Amino acid sequence: WRQAALRTNQADPFCCTPCWQLSFHYAFSPHRRIFHVEQAGNVVALAEKVFSQNDVVLTPLEPHWSFGSPLLGPESEKILHELLPSIAKRYGNRMPRLLLSGVRSGGTRAGRITSRFKARFDISRHASGVQCAASLAGGFDGFLSRRSSGFRKNMKKEHVRAAGAGITYERLSPASREECAQIFDRMYAIELTSWKGINQCGMEQEPATTFYKMLLCSLAVTSDARVVIAQQNGADIGFIFGGIAGRVYRGQQLSYNDKWSRYAVGNQLQYEQIRWLCEEGARRYDMGPLLGSRMEYKERWTEKKYPITALMLKAKS
């Protein structure tokens, strides 16, 4: 499953991996029936959402943001199509709707879905969005060369100011459940002091707490978690957390003590994470969705945009 996600040209490869998909499933909706098939490097992974006896939708395991795709590999559409009779039989020959997310608008997968399913299903756009990313080609200097002169000037000023305040950074990549528990406890404590924690809208709220803890532990199996914790005089004041999928990094959470906001701790954590990734040879820094009132800051950090769509397939009557 993981290898299929890495090989497939996805807008958000990390969110196609089982780390993301299964963590969401077990944290948010663990009692759903899963339809999962792996065949010659192809994967079909769907979960059942029941509204009523006559209204069932098969969705990605993570259907909330719909970042990832439930179809991975060049033959995955064909495999799903071949499964349709057995799926319909499970529901008294009433075909559930299918939600297929993570589709690049106008891409080859969109074309394969249309050609494979149009005879049997009405296909409509259920949701759409834009994922944003920054190239890390050329290392940290290459990343900076693609930013504005104002961005680079502010970065230097902020770095000097934060260093003058004694702010330092600790890089962490847990490889065991014990390490994950310790690191997550530190992140959780920081979250409580952030504007998100103060307003009770961050990862300290369930089921987000369980989701991100499970995600961190899942990434530890392959040492793909990347956590940077900012400290001042030995006290934790901020963190940034994300994961690696091949050579693509996907950011997940960033928080810092609200009392230290004047030192641009959030920006400092982003810089430190990007430096680390560049040292490791990562090629892309994914920052997730671009749309939304709190997402505008990502425009300064990224230059790549990946439109994605979730398609709803409803059986023709």
Side-chain angles (χ1 to χ4, degrees):
W1 188 348
R2 179 175 180 272
Q3 290 304 313
L6 300 186
R7 286 195 299 266
T8 307
N9 186 25
Q10 295 289 335
D12 195 335
F14 179 87
C15 290
C16 295
T17 65
C19 283
W20 172 269
Q21 295 286 330
L22 289 171
S23 294
F24 183 94
H25 172 75
Y26 289 118
F28 283 81
S29 304
H31 302 298
R32 295 176 297 171
R33 178 187 297 176
I34 292 177
F35 295 83
H36 176 251
V37 177
E38 295 189 18
Q39 189 179 110
N42 298 279
V43 174
V44 176
L46 294 162
E48 179 187 73
K49 186 171 185 178
V50 179
F51 292 96
S52 69
Q53 183 178 356
N54 296 323
D55 188 10
V56 178
V57 185
L58 298 185
T59 77
L61 272 66
E62 180 272 288
H64 182 70
W65 303 285
S66 296
F67 292 149
S69 173
L71 302 178
L72 303 173
E75 299 295 317
S76 54
E77 295 85 8
K78 178 184 176 183
I79 293 170
L80 176 59
H81 192 267
E82 292 172 348
L83 287 172
L84 293 180
S86 61
I87 291 174
K89 188 176 180 180
R90 289 175 178 266
Y91 298 97
N93 293 320
R94 183 186 295 273
M95 188 67 212
R97 288 178 288 154
L98 304 175
L99 179 64
L100 305 179
S101 63
V103 180
R104 287 199 190 194
S105 303
T108 56
R109 183 172 300 281
R112 291 202 301 263
I113 290 172
T114 299
S115 62
R116 181 71 65 176
F117 295 96
K118 65 181 179 181
R120 184 165 180 177
F121 293 87
D122 291 320
I123 304 174
S124 61
R125 179 177 293 187
H126 178 73
S128 60
V130 177
Q131 302 291 85
C132 62
S135 169
L136 300 182
F140 191 66
D141 289 340
F143 166 80
L144 288 179
S145 73
R146 291 179 285 275
R147 311 279 73 79
S148 68
S149 58
F151 182 102
R152 295 193 297 269
K153 183 178 179 180
N154 286 337
M155 186 202 77
K156 292 179 181 179
K157 288 172 59 178
E158 290 169 354
H159 181 71
V160 169
R161 190 177 185 196
I167 296 175
T168 58
Y169 311 94
E170 182 182 4
R171 297 174 177 181
L172 300 162
S173 181
S176 70
R177 186 171 293 275
E178 292 73 23
E179 288 180 277
C180 287
Q182 294 169 5
I183 292 170
F184 190 84
D185 286 347
R186 293 172 68 182
M187 293 196 298
Y188 186 90
I190 294 167
E191 182 82 337
L192 295 177
T193 67
S194 72
W195 69 264
K196 289 182 284 187
I198 292 170
N199 290 284
Q200 298 183 335
C201 61
M203 72 171 198
E204 89 293 347
Q205 298 291 304
E206 288 289 7
T209 302
T210 297
F211 170 59
Y212 286 111
K213 190 169 187 177
M214 292 187 74
L215 183 60
L216 181 65
C217 289
S218 296
L219 288 166
V221 174
T222 49
S223 298
D224 282 334
R226 296 294 180 271
V227 180
V228 178
I229 294 182
Q231 295 183 304
Q232 202 279 334
N233 285 338
D236 294 342
I237 63 170
F239 76 87
I240 186 170
F241 159 50
I244 294 286
R247 295 178 66 191
V248 177
Y249 168 85
R250 175 60 152 83
Q252 293 298 325
Q253 287 290 316
L254 185 157
S255 281
Y256 52 87
N257 189 312
D258 202 51
K259 295 178 181 178
W260 290 89
S261 60
R262 65 185 182 278
Y263 290 98
V265 176
N267 288 348
Q268 298 305 311
L269 286 164
Q270 296 270 33
Y271 301 142
E272 184 64 22
Q273 188 76 288
I274 292 170
R275 286 190 185 93
W276 186 8
L277 294 167
C278 289
E279 291 169 15
E280 293 186 319
R283 67 169 186 248
R284 203 172 91 191
Y285 189 93
D286 282 7
M287 293 188 73
L290 187 59
L291 303 178
S293 60
R294 291 191 177 275
M295 303 297 176
E296 296 173 355
Y297 77 95
K298 296 179 183 180
E299 291 274 14
R300 303 191 301 273
W301 291 83
T302 62
E303 74 281 350
K304 294 178 176 289
K305 294 180 175 63
Y306 301 102
I308 58 170
T309 300
L311 300 175
M312 183 66 78
L313 280 61
K314 182 179 181 181
K316 293 180 177 180
S317 55

